[in-house]
Amino acid sequence: MSDDFFDELDELSSSVEPDSDSPSERGTSAGLQKLASLVEDLNRDLSTKTILNRAMSAAIELTGAERGFLVLGSEDGQWTFRVARNMETGEIVDAESAASHTIIRKVLEGRQPILINDVVGGSDLVKHHSIAKMQVRSIMGAPLIAKGKLLGAAYVDTSRLAGVFDQTSLVLFETFVQLAAVALENARLIEAEQEASSRYRRLQEYLNTVLNSQPYGIVILDPTLRIEYANPQAALLLPDARLKPGVEFTDSGWCESDVQLIFLADLRGFVENGAVRPRTVTKGDCSLAYSFFEVERTDDGRERVGVVIEDITMQKELERKLIESEKQTTINQLAGGIAHEINNSLQPVKGRVELLTLRLQQAGVAIEGGIDKDLETISALSERIEKIAHNLRHLTKPAKPAFEPVELGQLVRATVDLMESTTGTLRGFSRDGSVSPHRLEINIADGLPPTLGDAHGLESAIINMILNSAHAIREKGEGVLKLTAQGNGDHVTVTVEDTGCGMSPDVQARAFEPYFTTRAERGGTGLGMSILQNVAEIHGAELDLWSQEGVGTRISLTFPAMKVEAPAT
């Protein structure tokens, strides 16, 4: 606060005798009645701004002053004018220049009221030109003290007459200022409480926003495992659970009973050891992981445990694809080495067959009795083995298939003949209607349109379909294997159906997974269905699998037929 017009306040008297011209209404009884009325009005609205304005207006009315000033302090020790008012003209804009800073400072430093009832008449004051400029005749000031705490100071003055204020005025003024200080302090406390409540609400809203925006489900459990809180994401991840406060989490229906036992064991381990690795559970088509965290003690001293639930379905799928990719890479590396060894051993066989045929012809030996057919079969199978070896390193996608028009009906018949006479897979399957536990039925439509495809790849697909059905029938002990090739508009469908042992839902879900097999102990490799799926993808064919455990299996491949242009006339 800047210096004012008074240089030496110590020379001033803090009080003077009251003027004999004081109005009679300044009497003690009338003053007390007005004081009571003003205090009642002051306490109507406990807000700091309202109290300050009403206190200043009331102080001017109570003392009959012309002007009033009210200053308040801050925590850093600075004092500022909060209200400055003139009874006739209203608000005083430049309070810093209009008020006596020295008197206000004296009130604040001494914490005592001050009454100067004849400023101009004081011989030591007339020397100050600032007093003449202010034309102040009487001044009163009193500190605002509440509960021993100095809040500020109130200051009133008048320029009309000397002796306007007397000791009664000072007592009333000081009393009112003290009551105003109490009201002001109460208002401050109320506003502080309101601000604290507002901050608490904002903090609660912020925490709720944070919790509700989490991608994880969060559930807070009390020591009895009852739910105290569950965020919306938890309800989304566990749609069938009752996640309401007071419900026991183990009775909420969030998982099966066997998972509950594991959950309780993990929770016990967390409470005892403070750390448990996240556990993964399956719920429907989703994979969920749960983990625990400790909640700080609350006012009741009871510990809480938080449960974090995370949807890791996509993560598991990515892990599965990564493992699958690594597995396929390993398979291709292994297949490359196997293919190399097969080719090295196969070339002499092919050469010997050709050399044997040539020697028999040169020696004039008649090739009859099926020998010629055997030699042709050996040569054809050698070429097929060579193609298989070539494609071993491309198990997922056979490299550069040789597409050409293929008549699927003929291909099915040729494949069946091969598997009956050479591989022996279909040996023992009767086709003549005779009584046999293993029967083969073939239904191939005439005049099927050709389809564009790789004959070797299609033959491999049909062989794998027949092999799986034959194994299923033999495992069951009896059954019928049906092969069908039918046209359907612009498509040709090849179906292999059996009445074998069928597949369980779990096996059916993994049927096309490379290296997955239920016949590992009987020499199964788990590659047949994977090859079948890849052949379907390469040829743009629709692959359909139906199976029921104990009933049988049906696999169909539907190919687009080639459009045969009509000959020009």
Side-chain angles (χ1 to χ4, degrees):
M1 186 177 293
S2 60
D3 293 336
D4 78 342
F5 313 107
F6 297 100
D7 297 323
E8 296 293 340
L9 185 63
D10 292 338
E11 300 176 1
L12 301 176
S13 172
S14 61
S15 62
V16 296
E17 292 297 325
D19 194 285
S20 59
D21 295 332
S22 298
S24 60
E25 63 266 26
R26 298 300 180 194
T28 304
S29 177
L32 289 175
Q33 292 179 1
K34 181 171 287 189
L35 176 63
S37 175
L38 293 175
V39 171
E40 182 180 356
D41 181 66
L42 183 68
N43 288 305
R44 286 178 186 170
D45 185 357
L46 290 179
S47 68
T48 301
K49 184 177 180 180
T50 302
I51 288 176
L52 290 174
N53 288 320
R54 287 181 177 176
M56 196 72 268
S57 299
I60 293 175
E61 180 183 352
L62 181 68
T63 60
E66 294 181 18
R67 303 186 310 164
F69 302 88
L70 201 153
V71 297
L72 293 181
S74 60
E75 294 181 356
D76 58 1
Q78 299 297 318
W79 301 90
T80 57
F81 283 90
R82 297 294 298 273
V83 183
R85 186 164 299 158
N86 188 302
M87 183 178 61
E88 296 179 354
T89 61
E91 183 179 357
I92 300 174
V93 177
D94 189 8
E96 290 279 345
S97 301
S100 174
H101 289 217
T102 304
I103 289 180
I104 292 175
R105 188 168 60 243
K106 184 66 177 178
V107 171
L108 293 173
E109 291 176 353
R111 298 167 70 105
Q112 295 293 328
I114 291 178
L115 170 61
I116 303 175
N117 219 351
D118 188 6
V119 176
V120 177
S123 58
D124 294 332
L125 299 178
V126 294
K127 301 176 182 179
H128 299 277
H129 66 280
S130 58
I131 294 298
K133 183 178 179 181
M134 292 177 62
Q135 297 182 347
V136 175
R137 301 295 298 274
S138 298
I139 296 174
M140 275 197 307
L144 278 78
I145 299 176
K147 299 178 181 179
K149 179 181 178 181
L150 180 65
L151 305 181
Y155 159 68
V156 295
D157 63 24
T158 180
S159 61
R160 291 179 302 186
L161 296 170
V164 172
F165 307 136
D166 56 16
Q167 288 296 330
T168 301
S169 299
L170 180 62
V171 171
L172 292 174
F173 179 63
E174 181 185 4
T175 302
F176 176 76
V177 168
Q178 290 179 353
L179 293 175
V182 173
L184 181 61
E185 180 65 13
N186 290 338
R188 283 183 172 183
L189 293 175
I190 292 174
E191 290 175 354
E193 181 181 2
Q194 292 173 344
E195 176 60 25
S197 298
S198 177
R199 285 198 304 268
Y200 177 77
R201 286 193 300 270
R202 291 196 299 269
L203 179 60
Q204 285 290 95
E205 292 172 359
Y206 174 74
L207 291 177
N208 286 334
T209 300
V210 171
L211 291 173
N212 294 343
S213 61
Q214 287 294 312
Y216 314 112
I218 298 177
V219 180
I220 307 300
L221 305 179
D222 69 9
T224 64
L225 299 187
R226 293 185 181 275
I227 297 173
E228 285 195 347
Y229 169 83
N231 70 342
Q233 187 64 16
L236 291 176
L237 295 176
L238 306 172
D240 300 329
R242 296 180 296 112
L243 302 180
K244 297 195 176 174
V247 176
E248 288 192 18
F249 192 54
T250 52
D251 293 337
S252 64
W254 77 278
C255 68
E256 301 297 332
S257 57
D258 56 340
V259 178
Q260 291 281 22
L261 296 176
I262 298 174
F263 173 84
L264 292 174
D266 289 341
L267 179 58
R268 185 180 300 107
F270 173 78
V271 173
E272 293 176 353
N273 304 321
V276 173
R277 295 182 60 184
R279 175 84 64 176
T280 301
V281 297
T282 301
K283 190 169 181 63
D285 297 332
C286 298
S287 294
L288 303 178
Y290 65 79
S291 57
F292 304 101
F293 65 93
E294 184 179 354
V295 180
E296 293 293 333
R297 289 178 179 268
T298 55
D299 293 339
D300 60 9
R302 303 170 70 193
E303 295 181 352
R304 270 70 171 168
V305 174
V307 184
V308 178
I309 304 170
E310 181 182 1
D311 187 348
I312 59 171
T313 305
M314 185 176 295
Q315 177 183 335
K316 284 294 183 181
E317 179 63 17
L318 291 175
E319 291 177 356
R320 187 193 67 78
K321 289 182 178 181
L322 178 60
I323 293 173
E324 187 65 29
S325 176
E326 293 177 348
K327 183 190 296 185
Q328 290 175 353
T329 300
T330 303
I331 291 172
N332 288 338
Q333 292 175 349
L334 179 62
I338 295 174
H340 178 73
E341 295 299 326
I342 290 176
N343 281 328
N344 287 345
S345 301
L346 185 61
Q347 294 308 317
V349 174
K350 292 178 61 178
R352 291 291 180 177
V353 171
E354 294 176 1
L355 180 60
L356 178 59
T357 302
L358 180 60
R359 284 181 177 176
L360 291 175
Q361 291 174 351
Q362 289 177 348
V365 177
I367 304 176
E368 55 188 12
I371 296 177
D372 53 346
K373 187 176 181 180
D374 291 340
L375 291 174
E376 291 175 0
T377 300
I378 294 173
S379 180
L381 290 177
S382 297
E383 291 180 1
R384 182 172 181 275
I385 294 172
E386 187 176 20
K387 289 181 180 179
I388 292 174
H390 178 69
N391 286 334
L392 266 177
R393 67 192 63 187
H394 305 285
L395 289 174
T396 56
K397 291 184 180 179
K400 296 181 180 179
F403 282 93
E404 58 183 355
V406 178
E407 207 284 290
L408 289 173
Q410 295 178 2
L411 184 63
V412 171
R413 290 190 182 96
T415 303
V416 171
D417 291 341
L418 177 67
M419 298 183 74
E420 282 182 323
S421 62
T422 305
T423 65
T425 302
L426 294 178
R427 286 181 181 175
F429 280 77
S430 65
R431 281 206 279 172
D432 55 5
S434 60
V435 178
S436 174
H438 304 150
R439 296 191 305 278
L440 176 64
E441 297 179 5
I442 301 177
N443 183 11
I444 298 176
D446 296 330
L448 291 175
T451 184
L452 188 64
D454 176 70
H456 169 66
L458 294 173
E459 182 185 45
S460 296
I462 295 171
I463 287 175
N464 280 295
M465 292 165 70
I466 294 174
L467 281 173
N468 287 336
S469 290
H471 289 314
I473 290 174
R474 285 199 169 92
E475 184 175 340
K476 188 175 181 180
E478 60 178 1
V480 180
L481 194 159
K482 300 178 181 180
L483 291 109
T484 305
Q486 300 289 334
N488 182 16
D490 296 334
H491 294 82
V492 178
T493 301
V494 175
T495 302
V496 177
E497 184 175 1
D498 66 74
T499 58
C501 57
M503 303 181 194
S504 66
D506 292 339
V507 172
Q508 189 173 348
R510 301 182 61 188
F512 297 103
E513 182 180 324
Y515 270 111
F516 173 74
T517 178
T518 59
R519 299 177 56 254
E521 70 282 358
R522 296 188 295 276
T525 63
L527 295 175
M529 296 294 282
S530 176
I531 292 174
L532 176 62
Q533 185 180 51
N534 291 324
V535 170
E537 292 177 359
I538 291 169
H539 289 80
E542 181 181 347
L543 175 60
D544 181 67
L545 168 65
W546 173 89
S547 185
Q548 184 175 348
E549 195 169 10
V551 177
T553 301
R554 182 179 62 249
I555 304 176
S556 297
L557 283 172
T558 301
F559 300 88
M562 290 181 61
K563 295 182 179 180
V564 180
E565 296 181 0
T569 57

